[in-house]
Structures are given as C-alpha cells and as structure tokens.
Amino acid sequence: MIDEQDPSGEAATTRGTTMTRTSPADVCIVDGRVFDGRIGTADTAVAIRGERIIAIGSDDEIRALAGPDTRMIDAVGGGILPGFVDAHIHAAFAGVERLSCDLTTAARVDETLSLIAAAANATDAEWITGGGWSHELFPHPTRQMLDAIVPDRPVALSDAGHHTLWVNSRALELAGVDRNTPAPPNGHIHHDEQGDPTGYLNETAAELVGRIVPPSTDAEIAAGLLNAQEFLWTLGITGWHEAILGEYNGKADCTAAYVATIADGSLRSRTSGALWVPPGTTAAQVPALVERFVALRAANAAAGFDTSTAKAMVDGVPHGETAALLEPYCSHAGSGELHIDAEALEALVVSLDAEGFAMHLHIMGDRGVRVALAAVEAARRANGTGQRHHFAHLSMVHPDDARRFGPLGITANIQGLWASVDPAVVPMIGDARMRAGYPFRAIADSGAAIAMGSDWPVSPADPWLAIHVAVNRTLPGPDGTPSEPLDATQRLTLTEALAAYTSRSAELVLGGGGMLRVGARADIAVSTVDPFAIPTEALISVGTAVTVVGGAVVHMRA
C-alpha cells in the first residue's frame, strides 16, 4: 500500500537545487529506490514542483523540501522509476474497443459469446463491432457462432492481434463476399467443406468487410483515446507511440482525435505517432506518398503532435501463416508473403530516410527481417547515418541477421511479453523455429538499442508482464507453473528491460526523456515493490502503485 504522510523538514540543498520553506515542493515521494532510466541508484526519494523534478536524494534531503501543502507519498520500499513509455501501441482503438464490445477479458469460449450477446443487447446500433477474441479459444471461429447470437444485424470482431476479422452471415452478405469472391493480395478468405466463406478473414481479406463497417467518428475515437489514457496510467505508462495513423482494416484515422485532445489539454501524456503506409504500396507510388507524408508531418507538428515516423507492415503473422519466412511453413509449401515487395520497400525506406522520417516496420518472419535490413542498408549507403529506424516484433530472426542490427543503427522495438513458449504457433513453424524466436540477447549484443512496447490491444499493456518475460523468457501457466524458458540464453537483464521500457523507448519515439533527472519533466511510476530486491522469477507479481504525469498524481492504488 502507498501511504500519504504529513510533510515535515527544513530547508535543504539537494543535487544543486536549494529550496526554502517559501518555495516548497508540491509532491515528495520518499522511502523508495530510484531507477533513473539507465541504472539503479542509492537514492530513495524525489521532489517535484510544478511539472518538473527539483531534487533527487535521500529521504531526509527530500523531506526537508516539503511545506505545509506538499503532498507526501510513501513508496513503502517500492521502485521510483521514470514513467513507462510504450513504443508500439494502438491506444486510440484499444480505447474504442474498451467502450464497445471488448472481448479481451474472456478466458473461456462461453465468456466470449456472453460478452458478444451482452454488447448486442446493450445497443440498437446497425453494426456490432469490437474485438479482442483469442485464437487459443477460437482456432477457427465461424459465422454460424455469431448468427446464433445476432442473426439480423452485421457483426465484425477483430481478433486480439487485429490481423483477422470474425464476421457473421449478415456482414458477409452486405459486403458481397461469397464462395466466388477472390481473395485479395496478401489476404485469405477461409471456406467450409461446401465452399462457402466461414466468416474468418485474414489480413487484407478482413478489409472486404472492414471497408463497409461504419467508421468511428472523431468524437468516438477521442473518447476512446482518453479512456485508454486513464487505463494506461494505472499501469505506470506516461507516454506512448501510436503505431498506425491512417485508415486501417476498416478503422478510421485517429490523427484528428490526437490533435483535438492535445489542443484542449485532455491528452496529458507525451505521445507521438506513425503515418501508415498501405500494404501493397509500389515503388512507383513512393514519391507521391513521401510528398503527402511531409505535408502531414508539418501540419501535425504545428498542432503539437509529432508524426515524424512512418509505419509499414513488411509481412503478416505466424499464427495466420502470413509472416514471410526463409523456409516453408510446416503445414504447406508456402513461406508467407511480403506485404510490400523488396523493391518498393527499399524505395520507401531510402526516400523517407532522406526526408527525415524514421521507419517503424512490423516484421515477424526471418525473410521479412532480411528484406528490411537490406532496405535500411540501402538507405545508409544513399543518405549516410540517417534516422533511428526500428523493427517491431521480430519473432524470427536468422542469427546472421541479428548481428546486423547494431552496425546498421537499427533499434529493436520488442514486445517482451511474446518471448515465451507458444504452443499455438508450433504447428505452423515447428518447435525448433519457435524456440529460436525473439533473440533479444543476440540483437543487444550486436550493439543495437532495445526499446519496448506492448502492441496493446493485441496483447496486455502491463509493462511488468513484458519485463518479466523479457528477463525470464517464460510465463506461468494456468496452474501457476512456469513453462520451459524460450532459449534462456536470449534473456535481457532487469536493468536492460527497465531501460528499454523507459529511457530507450522515450529516446526512440518521444525524442528524449524517460529519465529521472533534476529539471526533467516529472513523469514517474512507483512500483509496488523494489524490482531489484526480489528474485527475477517474482517480477510477474510487481505492479504500479502510483503514476505521476507532468508533476500531477494521476493514479494511486488503494
């Protein structure tokens, strides 16, 4: 529990900052252990005035800066850390889903179906939309399952990974999708034994229905964004990078919601975003796309929103057998597809790099990684050192390619929570390839920086869960017993993982920050325990007790 205490103490000089009783701190956090964003320190307390940190030191030094109205917070031995920065998240539409049909909480099939029924009964809207259903619970959900719940209105529900859409018969009918509809490039329409669509649409095929779903309004997206902000504060997340700005999979562009909430001051966290490169973009289309992105970046910057990053999806996901692999999948002779071919990707990276854009590339397969490395290498040859490009996910990386990240100046934007044994993917890629996945240590040892994000709502947003897996390479099963580690030699240290989720992510996507320093903006997370004082196997039990954003306490666990 976190205790608020009566202020006390006399004037003191702390870290070069002299405070008196006439200029006391607004907030003092004491009895913790400070991790400054790079290393654990001997300091135990922090003082804040306005939105800035004014002192870091011992409990006695910080108590001396308190006045009659200072808010005193006892960390009760917990960690005092920079606020977490999520380097890859879809916050706006996670919030929209939380306010609609949110299936992420369901742990059983019947719970999922009950949530869908409750959402349908709670609204008379034309469409029932939302998402977050699990492939583990529904390896292949069908339209008939939804028809039994909602027979008369269209239903379209994204999976947790947002690469698959589960729809009912009415939605297929309105979209004109039947047994004769050809699959689009990089998309899959699954059919039953009779040849009819099952209601399970992968990748670009999801847009066959997604494009007719009424998009959320800017006001609805803004409400979702602020809902997400409140939730992320409970996890200690004080800043993030919106991974897609643009129309995607039937979802509207959320840029206007960011601009509006920045303008009215309701979006208080530090944020940035990545302009969306549509799959299938060709080399011939690159010049016009770059010109458009330059104009968008300037307009957004004028509104206080940094969009100096461009997001492209190089391939798909192993679960859908759409990640681009060097060797074929186990179940068939195919090896997945590139969503943007090698020629177009090179033209895109070289041109955007020259215009000062960082590339944020979704890559899951080892062939996708190799093609993307070649594109960055071409940009380095053409433009010099260039921008801080980052590759996200990285479920499969050939050992030869892991060594190339550092020399090319590429940051690994990892989702640490994913680096554990996943039985669901074994039938697709085999046990050996799965167990060689997520080679964080090899990439870090190449000299590459490591940043971290959640990909929420694809997976839970709690940084402590991701840190636990990045350090331990395993998650406890339903009975609480940890699974066999996923190549334990690829572990990150706790210090590396904390830095990745704070200072390294802030450097990558917010242009700096993520450090506890005198004069820095006071974005702070206080953990329930000192993570350095417990066995690494217990990191999964750590939570966030207090969150401070811009000097204001925005979350306090009871």
Side-chain angles (χ1 to χ4, degrees):
M1 177 178 290
I2 297 298
D3 298 323
E4 293 193 62
Q5 303 178 331
D6 292 330
S8 62
E10 300 300 324
T13 300
T14 305
R15 296 295 171 83
T17 301
T18 301
M19 301 297 300
T20 69
R21 300 285 285 185
T22 59
S23 55
D26 294 325
V27 178
C28 291
I29 305 171
V30 298
D31 189 22
R33 181 181 177 185
V34 172
F35 175 82
D36 71 359
R38 292 291 171 83
I39 59 171
T41 75
D43 295 316
T44 60
V46 174
I48 302 164
R49 191 191 325 124
E51 66 170 18
R52 299 289 166 183
I53 296 171
I54 59 169
I56 300 171
S58 69
D59 286 358
D60 287 344
E61 290 171 327
I62 298 306
R63 289 181 193 276
L65 304 182
D69 298 321
T70 300
R71 184 172 188 176
M72 297 295 296
I73 298 176
D74 190 335
V76 197
I80 303 175
L81 318 151
F84 295 111
V85 175
D86 195 312
H88 183 109
I89 196 170
H90 305 278
F93 284 101
V96 169
E97 284 187 2
R98 280 168 55 84
L99 296 174
S100 59
C101 183
D102 180 13
L103 305 178
T104 58
T105 60
R108 302 192 310 271
V109 168
D110 62 314
E111 288 180 353
T112 305
L113 299 178
S114 294
L115 287 170
I116 297 169
N121 292 332
T123 181
D124 58 1
E126 177 189 0
W127 282 76
I128 308 301
T129 59
W133 55 268
S134 166
H135 282 274
E136 292 183 5
L137 299 178
F138 296 90
H140 193 119
T142 66
R143 57 187 168 86
Q144 288 88 351
M145 292 179 182
L146 294 177
D147 292 347
I149 301 170
V150 189
D152 55 340
R153 288 181 288 169
V155 180
L157 303 170
S158 294
D159 68 325
H162 290 73
H163 288 258
T164 302
L165 201 62
W166 176 20
V167 302
N168 68 350
S169 296
R170 180 61 176 151
L172 290 171
E173 178 186 354
L174 290 173
V177 177
D178 57 25
R179 63 171 56 208
N180 298 315
T181 302
N186 301 318
H188 299 274
I189 303 171
H190 292 264
H191 298 83
D192 60 24
E193 294 179 354
Q194 290 72 44
D196 295 313
T198 64
Y200 184 81
L201 307 171
N202 287 116
E203 303 294 352
T204 57
E207 297 183 15
L208 296 174
V209 171
R211 66 191 179 195
I212 68 164
V213 176
S216 300
T217 65
D218 290 343
E220 290 169 338
I221 300 170
L225 177 58
L226 297 181
N227 178 279
Q229 175 177 244
E230 292 277 350
F231 174 70
L232 294 172
W233 285 344
T234 70
L235 304 176
I237 297 169
T238 62
W240 65 83
H241 181 68
E242 184 71 42
I244 293 179
L245 297 173
E247 295 182 1
Y248 167 70
N249 200 15
K251 292 178 171 61
D253 184 357
C254 61
T255 303
Y258 273 92
V259 169
T261 52
I262 290 170
D264 67 19
S266 56
L267 185 64
R268 296 160 62 187
S269 297
R270 296 177 67 205
T271 58
S272 65
L275 302 175
W276 174 238
V277 178
T281 295
T282 66
Q285 294 170 328
V286 166
L289 180 142
V290 172
E291 182 179 2
R292 181 168 64 88
F293 277 17
V294 168
L296 287 172
R297 178 178 60 185
N300 293 333
F305 187 35
D306 176 13
T307 58
S308 55
T309 303
K311 165 71 178 294
M313 201 168 286
V314 175
D315 63 355
V317 293
H319 290 82
E321 298 182 316
T322 53
L325 308 184
L326 292 170
E327 301 293 336
Y329 283 92
C330 295
S331 55
H332 56 80
S335 56
E337 302 140 337
L338 295 171
H339 286 2
I340 298 177
D341 67 38
E343 178 189 7
L345 186 64
E346 180 174 317
L348 187 74
V349 174
V350 171
S351 298
L352 285 170
D353 177 88
E355 290 292 342
F357 283 91
M359 296 302 303
H360 181 158
L361 300 180
H362 160 117
I363 320 173
M364 296 290 277
D366 46 13
R367 179 161 58 98
V369 170
R370 185 163 292 179
V371 169
L373 286 168
V376 172
E377 198 167 39
R380 299 303 191 216
R381 288 195 304 267
N383 305 326
T385 302
Q387 311 309 312
R388 191 190 295 266
H389 304 303
H390 41 122
F391 294 1
H393 312 324
L394 303 173
S395 64
M396 286 177 278
V397 184
H398 191 280
D400 291 344
D401 293 327
R403 290 188 281 268
R404 299 170 63 190
F405 278 66
L408 285 172
I410 296 167
T411 297
N413 187 335
I414 67 170
Q415 285 57 62
L417 184 61
W418 301 358
S420 62
V421 173
D422 185 354
V425 82
V426 173
M428 289 80 172
I429 65 173
D431 187 71
R433 278 189 288 189
M434 182 204 68
R435 292 186 178 278
Y438 303 101
F440 301 158
R441 177 83 271 138
I443 293 172
D445 287 348
S446 78
I450 307 289
M452 208 180 304
S454 65
D455 207 6
W456 185 59
V458 173
S459 52
D462 188 350
W464 290 109
L465 293 179
I467 289 166
H468 173 90
V469 179
V471 172
N472 293 287
R473 304 284 290 187
T474 184
L475 267 176
D479 62 353
T481 303
S483 60
E484 179 185 353
L486 184 73
D487 190 356
T489 66
Q490 296 299 319
R491 290 171 169 153
L492 296 179
T493 67
L494 175 57
T495 296
E496 288 173 325
L498 285 172
Y501 232 130
T502 56
S503 61
R504 296 297 187 186
S505 285
E507 288 174 358
L508 181 68
V509 300
L510 298 180
M515 299 285 290
L516 297 189
R517 294 281 189 268
V518 172
R521 174 177 152 119
D523 289 341
I524 299 172
V526 179
S527 60
T528 51
V529 299
D530 176 3
F532 291 97
I534 60 175
T536 57
E537 295 81 5
L539 286 169
I540 195 169
S541 67
V542 181
T544 297
V546 176
T547 306
V548 178
V549 173
V553 178
V554 295
H555 162 71
M556 178 169 282
R557 179 181 289 195

